[in-house]
Amino acid sequence: MRQRTYLSPTLRDIPADAEIKSHQLMLRAGLIRQTASGIYSYLPLGKRVLKKVEEIIRKEMDATGAQEVLMPAIQPAELWEESGRLGAYGPELMRLQDRHERDFVLGATHEEVITSLVRDDIKSYKKLPVNVYQIQTKYRDERRPRFGVLRSREFIMKDAYSFDTSKEGLDESYKAMYEAYKRIFSKCGLDFRAVEADSGAIGGTDTHEFMVLSEIGEDTIAYSDASDFAANIEIAPVKAVSANHNEQRVLDVEKKETPNVKTIEEVTAFLNVDATQTIKSLLFMIDEEPVLILVRGDHEVNEIKISHLYPGAQSIELATIAQTNEYLGCEPGFIGPLQVKDITIIADHSVQTIVNGICGANDKDYHYINVNVERDVSELKYADIRFIQEGDPSPDGKGTIRFARGIEVGHVFKLGTKYSEALGASFLNEQGKAEPMIMGCYGIGVSRTVAAIVEQNHDENGIVWPKEVSPFDLHLISINMKDDTQSQLGEQLYSQLREMNYDVLYDDRPERAGVKFKDSDLFGLPIRIAIGKRAAEQIVEVKVRATGEMLEVKIDELESTIKQLIEK
Amino acid sequence: MRQRTYLSPTLRDIPADAEIKSHQLMLRAGLIRQTASGIYSYLPLGKRVLKKVEEIIRKEMDATGAQEVLMPAIQPAELWEESGRLGAYGPELMRLQDRHERDFVLGATHEEVITSLVRDDIKSYKKLPVNVYQIQTKYRDERRPRFGVLRSREFIMKDAYSFDTSKEGLDESYKAMYEAYKRIFSKCGLDFRAVEADSGAIGGTDTHEFMVLSEIGEDTIAYSDASDFAANIEIAPVKAVSANHNEQRVLDVEKKETPNVKTIEEVTAFLNVDATQTIKSLLFMIDEEPVLILVRGDHEVNEIKISHLYPGAQSIELATIAQTNEYLGCEPGFIGPLQVKDITIIADHSVQTIVNGICGANDKDYHYINVNVERDVSELKYADIRFIQEGDPSPDGKGTIRFARGIEVGHVFKLGTKYSEALGASFLNEQGKAEPMIMGCYGIGVSRTVAAIVEQNHDENGIVWPKEVSPFDLHLISINMKDDTQSQLGEQLYSQLREMNYDVLYDDRPERAGVKFKDSDLFGLPIRIAIGKRAAEQIVEVKVRATGEMLEVKIDELESTIKQLIEK
């Protein structure tokens, strides 16, 4: 492609409203332009990258036997009523009416449409399993669109839906997608982790998020420094450390006056102890029932884990001051598990190991010291209810937990029968009996993946494309178009390199060398070939974008040099 | 692809609401399913065809140097206000509001978005010409969606937009698209014509529709039986035949009583003459001014042609009875051009050649005979104002006009500066002076093209895909899956044929031979390879779908046979 009339406008300055690097660089290198808040147009360079990522996805999906379909963006609202999501989805779901005032939604996802399709056309176990996917535009009216195409309102997704006859079948479909996703993100040149995640309210049993490691990520990942373990901190399990009471002498409980000492910080300062020695007590209301939650003072309660202990619960909330007074006769800050009656008490495993600990005395301005819950609290359940922390042992027993931020680019999810039951997608089994199909769903944010690639692959001068997703393979530059030797050699190489099946962007603009080189670094194609003063000697300058390596290469050695550099 | 679990459900019966063949066959062969009125999902077979058509288009567009982009479906309503189309587009334009109650439209077309993009990023003649295209989903809320994906509300279009610095540049861009379209539709295996069309209210100078010839088409095409000439009858020019007054003696005008004789049919019956001998007179009101229009009795007035004589006119309507009485002192049916004063008279060229003709006398129940307009009407303009008819000489002087019905699959259009002026897309010319960019737009209905291909390529048993767009190259069938020899040979050929780089659909279903053959004809892949009783002898049956030709072929000759048949 000749750059002179290529619609690839570059910006020298950082656009004011672009907070993160990928957004800045995608604007500056002319990959995207904003059409409205959270709504973008892809210019030719951006569209080329999008297509490369799509082709990587398509190839890997096809290799698993998944079948490509295309479903509409406009979906009848009735379908969403059938599944029960029309109300539940809230203002993120864009809605519209047609000329006959019939209600439609713009697809935020396609469970309803695909389930109704499969319901109508598959009746027998003989036609299963099936996994269908599409690469298609999705709509979510984000409250706060930002970060360019990383969180936008119209975006491209690959979504796949598997239909199986058994849980074992679903396990296989799930695993096939999981493995395909690993290959896809590896090919995209991403540093990512497959992370165990919360299955949310849907009650799936298994779910993984594919997280691209990045400081700007909105999720926190807990991962092991010595194994493959990685999980969203929302759900990362904590390995229970067994109590070792022999080390320390167990003392008798004492009540201490602690005036105005409420928080863990105040307690540790006042009593001159470590936070690990304290027991944090929080009263929760779970569907109107009080539940006293205990964690070690240096730990944080994880409400998602509590919700997993109460799978049917409609609401889980911290008790109000009034409620705390009502049930424990005391305000928060001085509450604790001793002498508590008729209230469920759940303690994190780590609380069991505290020897001679400190907790509130359910009496204003008083705490107990020398508390040992095993001895002092009669009815107590232990569970994993805290957030994992950096430095914790990895739950798989290998290594220590570290934290990283991640951008979610993919998600695999076992849906089970939620949609097939709601929409009546059943099949006749070998005995001729109807059963609901067992579903999985699998998403990749395609446009978001492009942004994540840029976020992970850039330097101070611009983008550094991994070769598999680079919009072009080579950037050929004639430094001085007015110099006939240079421009002629440019034309010659432009055709030769394309004949070798390279995608070539040819900078034939009547611009200064500085402008050309700056734009070239910004675009970030893997290899730059500059034709300059030594054109007459049939020598060009080759630069590797990623390493900055520079070579002077004779024309007749150019092909082998490029081949070597690209294969590296 | 193995057919057993391929989502390709076939229907034996013709779906009740599918009126035309392509709609019936696309449903029956499992290419599409309706999700809502005028809104369709593409199942795997349909998606494969769509992709093939898209790739043909993409390749030809890229070859012209056009640059692929991707614009959003959701567009700010303000952009459409800027161009003046927000009101003009009417209820076909789908509208919605976001969570902040800002107004948006779902793109029915993208002139506004692309013009604003180019306006912001191209400032100089040095960066022009540019032609950008996208293959993208469009939305038009058709009053009456029908014919499946031929007239639907969510559909796929390729739309391209060219930006030039001069009219000559636009001519070149236009020609490049015109030629690319011819190649695209030829590759799709379509019998089509590039047809001159009406440029509508936009006032473009040149426009062609690409029409697939088909009885179910909504447009009528006039074409020459001896040349490339083809035009929408709305605008097909009529070749003026020069008058030849020598042949017949010119007689004196006579006024004849013709009681209640008003229509051409009544006149010809009453006076026992041919319709070609009569002059049809119609009074039009053009922006409040009366204009008397004359055509030969056997011809029809073409209002579009009249509108081209009055390019600024806001309204062109047939006069009411009251208006006719006011201006001509007589009711319609007896009006004519003689003794008419202060009223513009426009006659079709053919009226000039009528010798001793008949027309109304502007007197109730009277007509004139022996009228010769050249002699009898003082102020008269001649113009081409009638519809062309079958049997007319072709306007290019070669052959005779025939009519055909056509499905519009493509449209190329010179827009000029309509949008660049409305949206301020200007460039600095070589003298540093700002000028509006000169635009063209070029559309292909991608999903509609798929339907048109089916409409033109089927027989009583199903679809007959042209090889370039067929979802698979080969249909391999093991007739009896319970027969080990057959199923083993099936597996063997399934891998061998794929290794030869053919796309193979393998019918491995435990179905009866009749079902398999019926489905195979319905799917319409170019070549069917059936493994049956002679499997043990390493002989299979090869059938060419298009011709019905059947061959028994030895396995070791299969490759060369297929190659020969496909290349035919």
Side-chain angles (χ1 to χ4, degrees):
Chain A
M1 185 58 71
R2 284 169 193 280
Q3 207 173 323
R4 198 183 68 77
T5 55
Y6 196 51
L7 186 56
S8 54
T10 53
L11 309 173
R12 281 287 155 263
D13 299 322
I14 297 171
D17 53 347
E19 300 167 51
I20 60 166
K21 276 288 170 190
S22 58
H23 189 191
Q24 294 168 4
L25 288 169
M26 289 180 77
L27 287 169
R28 288 188 52 212
L31 301 178
I32 56 169
R33 286 294 180 263
Q34 183 178 291
T35 297
S37 166
I39 297 171
Y40 289 84
S41 293
Y42 289 83
L43 301 190
L45 274 179
K47 174 65 187 167
R48 287 183 84 99
V49 179
L50 213 45
K51 229 158 54 178
K52 295 240 171 148
V53 173
E54 286 177 7
E55 280 315 309
I56 288 172
I57 293 172
R58 188 169 274 128
K59 208 176 148 196
E60 291 297 337
M61 291 302 293
D62 289 346
T64 68
Q67 306 173 27
E68 189 172 2
V69 298
L70 181 64
M71 291 180 272
I74 296 189
Q75 308 179 4
E78 299 99 69
L79 265 181
W80 285 65
E81 242 158 40
E82 264 188 80
S83 74
R85 289 208 294 182
L86 189 62
Y89 221 95
E92 230 180 64
L93 189 64
M94 302 189 93
R95 294 146 208 254
L96 76 162
Q97 288 194 323
D98 72 0
R99 64 198 294 158
H100 308 294
E101 292 180 11
R102 278 184 296 239
D103 291 314
F104 290 88
V105 307
L106 286 185
T109 166
H110 279 72
E111 280 84 359
E112 283 81 0
V113 175
I114 191 62
T115 307
S116 76
L117 254 175
V118 168
R119 164 189 71 191
D120 295 342
D121 278 311
I122 296 185
K123 306 289 185 192
S124 159
Y125 75 94
K126 287 185 205 163
K127 300 295 287 176
L128 295 171
V130 154
N131 186 347
V132 294
Y133 78 97
Q134 61 176 351
I135 296 176
Q136 193 256 11
T137 308
K138 298 273 183 286
Y139 298 89
R140 285 182 203 163
D141 200 356
E142 293 279 349
R143 198 172 54 80
R144 200 180 145 219
R146 58 188 176 141
F147 295 168
V149 297
L150 206 54
R151 186 168 289 282
S152 56
R153 302 200 285 174
E154 173 170 341
F155 55 98
I156 301 169
M157 256 188 86
K158 188 285 299 175
D159 45 333
Y161 306 90
S162 66
F163 296 83
D164 277 280
T165 59
S166 68
K167 286 200 171 158
E168 295 70 36
L170 171 59
D171 288 344
E172 269 180 53
S173 299
Y174 185 90
K175 185 154 193 334
M177 286 298 102
Y178 180 93
E179 296 299 332
Y181 277 31
K182 290 216 295 196
R183 289 190 297 272
I184 288 165
F185 295 120
S186 297
K187 277 201 192 164
C188 288
L190 286 167
D191 181 14
F192 68 97
R193 295 260 176 165
V195 168
E196 289 173 26
D198 181 38
S199 54
I202 297 171
T205 45
D206 254 321
T207 171
H208 284 87
E209 290 163 352
F210 287 78
M211 291 281 192
V212 171
L213 303 183
S214 164
E215 277 170 25
I216 62 106
E218 293 176 333
D219 294 88
T220 301
I221 306 161
Y223 68 94
S224 163
D225 64 2
S227 78
D228 266 353
F229 174 82
N232 196 307
I233 54 156
E234 288 183 345
I235 64 106
V238 175
K239 197 176 159 69
V241 179
S242 58
N244 187 351
H245 285 217
N246 300 330
E247 287 175 14
Q248 243 179 302
R249 200 163 69 91
V250 173
L251 304 174
D252 288 342
V253 173
E254 263 181 64
K255 192 166 175 178
K256 281 253 175 189
E257 191 171 5
T258 52
N260 274 323
V261 171
K262 293 177 181 183
T263 65
I264 294 295
E265 289 70 38
E266 288 162 353
V267 170
T268 54
F270 187 81
L271 297 174
N272 195 26
V273 293
D274 196 75
T276 56
Q277 206 56 28
T278 64
I279 299 167
K280 194 190 285 180
S281 307
L282 295 167
L283 188 66
F284 275 82
M285 299 304 295
I286 300 181
D287 283 353
E288 325 273 303
E289 284 296 316
V291 176
L292 187 62
I293 297 291
L294 312 180
V295 295
R296 216 168 69 184
D298 60 325
H299 290 155
E300 295 299 327
V301 172
N302 183 331
E303 286 191 33
I304 288 174
K305 289 185 177 179
I306 295 175
S307 75
H308 289 173
L309 300 177
Y310 291 86
Q314 295 297 308
S315 95
I316 297 179
E317 280 171 0
L318 211 56
T320 61
I321 294 175
Q323 286 168 327
T324 311
N325 269 308
E326 181 191 342
Y327 289 107
L328 297 172
C330 171
E331 67 185 79
F334 301 103
I335 64 173
L338 270 58
Q339 291 107 33
V340 167
K341 293 226 162 70
D342 301 329
I343 290 180
T344 304
I345 304 175
I346 302 173
D348 186 67
H349 293 297
S350 56
V351 174
Q352 197 176 5
T353 67
I354 300 174
V355 179
N356 301 328
I358 292 151
C359 70
N362 292 325
D363 194 357
K364 190 170 175 340
D365 293 338
Y366 285 92
H367 277 82
Y368 288 122
I369 64 168
N370 300 335
V371 174
N372 298 276
V373 287
E374 285 284 81
R375 177 192 66 188
D376 302 326
V377 183
S378 49
E379 288 222 31
L380 188 66
K381 278 187 272 183
Y382 293 102
D384 171 15
I385 53 171
R386 71 164 172 103
F387 277 102
I388 203 162
Q389 291 185 334
E390 281 196 289
D392 278 334
S394 177
D396 66 354
K398 295 171 201 158
T400 299
I401 286 299
R402 299 272 169 265
F403 280 3
R405 308 286 292 171
I407 301 167
E408 185 191 335
V409 288
H411 201 160
V412 291
F413 203 100
K414 292 187 184 173
L415 283 173
T417 57
K418 176 183 158 78
Y419 292 95
S420 49
E421 279 180 1
L423 294 154
S426 60
F427 66 96
L428 296 179
N429 66 17
E430 289 190 53
Q431 286 76 45
K433 218 184 116 224
E435 287 183 40
M437 298 180 193
I438 300 175
M439 292 173 59
C441 70
Y442 316 95
I444 292 179
V446 181
S447 27
R448 171 178 281 196
T449 295
V450 172
I453 293 169
V454 176
E455 198 60 40
Q456 259 190 359
N457 296 275
H458 67 265
D459 62 17
E460 65 280 15
N461 298 317
I463 302 172
V464 184
W465 290 112
K467 67 179 176 207
E468 295 84 354
V469 295
S470 179
F472 293 90
D473 302 317
L474 308 174
H475 201 178
L476 178 68
I477 297 176
S478 282
I479 294 177
N480 182 359
M481 283 302 287
K482 286 182 193 149
D483 179 310
D484 285 345
T485 317
Q486 291 185 28
S487 60
Q488 276 163 23
L489 185 56
E491 290 295 328
Q492 179 198 322
L493 289 181
Y494 182 47
S495 25
Q496 281 177 7
L497 292 167
R498 282 183 303 153
E499 271 163 33
M500 293 174 204
N501 272 323
Y502 290 115
D503 273 340
V504 185
L505 181 64
Y506 175 34
D507 191 348
D508 58 346
R509 295 176 302 163
E511 295 283 0
R512 283 175 298 110
V515 171
K516 291 187 172 209
F517 288 142
K518 270 209 157 57
D519 283 347
S520 182
D521 280 348
L522 190 52
F523 288 164
L525 310 181
I527 291 171
R528 184 182 87 189
I529 301 161
I531 301 161
K533 292 205 175 115
R534 301 193 68 181
E537 301 163 61
Q538 299 281 297
I539 287 174
V540 295
E541 187 194 75
V542 174
K543 182 184 168 188
V544 180
R545 178 68 181 89
T547 60
E549 188 186 348
M550 295 260 221
L551 305 163
E552 297 221 304
V553 180
K554 288 204 164 169
I555 298 302
D556 51 15
E557 287 162 10
L558 189 57
E559 182 168 4
S560 60
T561 305
I562 292 172
K563 222 176 145 192
Q564 253 177 10
L565 291 173
I566 279 189
E567 274 168 14
K568 240 195 246 174
Chain B
M1 185 58 72
R2 286 168 193 279
Q3 208 172 323
R4 198 181 69 75
T5 55
Y6 196 51
L7 186 57
S8 55
T10 54
L11 309 173
R12 283 287 157 262
D13 299 323
I14 296 171
D17 54 344
E19 300 167 51
I20 61 166
K21 277 287 170 191
S22 58
H23 189 191
Q24 294 168 4
L25 288 169
M26 289 180 78
L27 287 168
R28 288 187 53 212
L31 300 178
I32 56 169
R33 287 293 180 262
Q34 183 178 292
T35 296
S37 167
I39 296 171
Y40 289 85
S41 292
Y42 289 82
L43 300 191
L45 274 179
K47 174 64 188 170
R48 286 183 84 98
V49 179
L50 214 46
K51 227 157 56 177
K52 293 239 170 149
V53 172
E54 285 176 9
E55 279 316 308
I56 288 171
I57 293 172
R58 188 168 275 128
K59 206 176 150 196
E60 292 297 337
M61 292 302 295
D62 289 346
T64 68
Q67 305 173 26
E68 188 171 3
V69 298
L70 180 64
M71 291 179 272
I74 297 189
Q75 307 178 6
E78 300 99 69
L79 266 181
W80 285 64
E81 241 159 41
E82 264 188 81
S83 74
R85 288 208 295 181
L86 189 62
Y89 220 95
E92 231 179 65
L93 190 64
M94 302 190 93
R95 293 146 207 255
L96 77 163
Q97 286 194 325
D98 72 0
R99 65 197 297 158
H100 308 293
E101 292 180 10
R102 279 183 296 239
D103 292 313
F104 290 88
V105 307
L106 286 185
T109 167
H110 279 74
E111 279 85 359
E112 282 81 1
V113 175
I114 190 62
T115 308
S116 77
L117 255 174
V118 168
R119 164 189 72 191
D120 295 343
D121 277 312
I122 296 185
K123 306 288 187 193
S124 158
Y125 74 95
K126 288 185 203 161
K127 299 295 289 177
L128 295 172
V130 154
N131 186 348
V132 293
Y133 77 98
Q134 61 176 350
I135 295 177
Q136 192 255 10
T137 307
K138 297 273 183 286
Y139 299 88
R140 285 182 202 163
D141 201 356
E142 293 280 349
R143 197 172 53 80
R144 201 180 142 219
R146 59 188 175 140
F147 295 168
V149 297
L150 207 53
R151 185 168 290 282
S152 56
R153 302 200 284 175
E154 172 167 341
F155 56 97
I156 301 168
M157 257 188 87
K158 188 286 298 175
D159 45 332
Y161 306 89
S162 67
F163 296 82
D164 277 280
T165 59
S166 68
K167 287 201 170 155
E168 295 69 36
L170 171 59
D171 288 344
E172 270 180 52
S173 299
Y174 185 88
K175 188 157 190 332
M177 286 297 102
Y178 180 93
E179 296 298 334
Y181 277 32
K182 289 216 294 194
R183 289 191 296 273
I184 287 165
F185 295 121
S186 297
K187 277 202 190 162
C188 288
L190 287 167
D191 181 14
F192 69 96
R193 295 258 175 168
V195 168
E196 289 172 26
D198 181 40
S199 54
I202 297 169
T205 45
D206 256 320
T207 170
H208 285 87
E209 290 162 353
F210 287 79
M211 291 280 193
V212 171
L213 303 184
S214 164
E215 277 170 24
I216 62 108
E218 293 176 334
D219 294 87
T220 301
I221 306 160
Y223 68 96
S224 163
D225 63 3
S227 78
D228 267 353
F229 175 81
N232 196 308
I233 55 157
E234 287 183 348
I235 63 108
V238 175
K239 195 176 161 64
V241 178
S242 58
N244 186 354
H245 284 217
N246 299 330
E247 286 174 12
Q248 242 179 301
R249 201 163 69 88
V250 172
L251 304 173
D252 289 344
V253 173
E254 261 181 67
K255 193 166 176 177
K256 281 256 177 187
E257 192 172 6
T258 51
N260 275 322
V261 170
K262 294 179 179 181
T263 66
I264 294 295
E265 288 70 37
E266 288 162 352
V267 170
T268 56
F270 187 82
L271 297 173
N272 193 26
V273 293
D274 196 75
T276 57
Q277 206 57 27
T278 64
I279 298 166
K280 193 189 284 180
S281 307
L282 295 166
L283 188 67
F284 275 82
M285 299 303 295
I286 299 179
D287 283 353
E288 325 272 301
E289 284 296 315
V291 176
L292 188 62
I293 296 292
L294 311 180
V295 296
R296 217 169 69 182
D298 60 324
H299 290 156
E300 294 299 327
V301 172
N302 183 330
E303 286 190 34
I304 289 175
K305 289 184 176 179
I306 294 175
S307 76
H308 289 175
L309 301 177
Y310 292 87
Q314 295 296 310
S315 97
I316 297 179
E317 280 172 1
L318 210 56
T320 60
I321 294 175
Q323 286 169 327
T324 311
N325 268 307
E326 180 190 342
Y327 290 109
L328 297 172
C330 171
E331 67 186 80
F334 300 102
I335 64 172
L338 271 59
Q339 290 106 35
V340 167
K341 293 220 165 71
D342 302 329
I343 290 179
T344 304
I345 304 176
I346 303 173
D348 186 68
H349 294 297
S350 57
V351 173
Q352 198 177 6
T353 67
I354 300 174
V355 179
N356 301 326
I358 292 152
C359 70
N362 292 326
D363 194 356
K364 190 171 175 342
D365 293 338
Y366 286 91
H367 277 81
Y368 287 122
I369 65 168
N370 300 333
V371 174
N372 297 275
V373 288
E374 286 282 83
R375 178 194 65 190
D376 302 327
V377 183
S378 49
E379 288 224 32
L380 187 66
K381 279 188 270 183
Y382 293 102
D384 170 16
I385 54 172
R386 71 162 171 104
F387 277 103
I388 203 163
Q389 291 185 336
E390 280 196 287
D392 278 334
S394 178
D396 66 354
K398 295 173 200 155
T400 300
I401 286 299
R402 298 272 170 265
F403 280 4
R405 308 286 292 171
I407 301 167
E408 185 191 334
V409 287
H411 201 161
V412 291
F413 203 101
K414 292 188 184 173
L415 283 173
T417 57
K418 177 184 158 75
Y419 293 95
S420 50
E421 279 179 2
L423 294 154
S426 60
F427 66 96
L428 296 179
N429 65 16
E430 289 190 55
Q431 286 75 45
K433 218 184 117 226
E435 288 183 41
M437 298 180 195
I438 300 176
M439 292 173 59
C441 69
Y442 317 93
I444 291 179
V446 181
S447 28
R448 171 178 280 196
T449 295
V450 172
I453 293 169
V454 176
E455 198 60 40
Q456 258 191 358
N457 296 277
H458 67 265
D459 61 18
E460 65 281 13
N461 298 317
I463 303 171
V464 184
W465 289 114
K467 67 178 179 208
E468 295 84 354
V469 295
S470 179
F472 292 90
D473 303 317
L474 308 174
H475 201 177
L476 178 68
I477 298 176
S478 283
I479 294 177
N480 183 358
M481 282 302 288
K482 287 182 193 152
D483 180 309
D484 284 348
T485 317
Q486 291 185 28
S487 61
Q488 275 164 24
L489 185 55
E491 290 296 326
Q492 179 198 322
L493 289 182
Y494 182 49
S495 24
Q496 280 178 7
L497 293 167
R498 282 183 302 153
E499 270 163 34
M500 293 172 205
N501 271 325
Y502 290 115
D503 273 339
V504 185
L505 181 64
Y506 174 34
D507 190 347
D508 58 346
R509 295 177 301 163
E511 295 281 0
R512 285 176 297 109
V515 171
K516 291 189 171 205
F517 288 141
K518 270 209 157 59
D519 283 346
S520 182
D521 280 349
L522 190 52
F523 288 166
L525 309 182
I527 291 170
R528 185 183 86 190
I529 301 161
I531 300 161
K533 293 207 175 113
R534 302 192 69 181
E537 301 164 62
Q538 298 280 298
I539 288 174
V540 295
E541 188 194 74
V542 174
K543 182 185 169 188
V544 180
R545 178 69 182 87
T547 60
E549 190 186 349
M550 294 260 220
L551 304 164
E552 296 221 304
V553 180
K554 287 203 164 170
I555 297 302
D556 51 14
E557 287 161 10
L558 189 58
E559 181 166 8
S560 59
T561 305
I562 293 171
K563 221 176 149 193
Q564 253 177 9
L565 291 173
I566 280 189
E567 275 167 14
K568 242 197 245 176

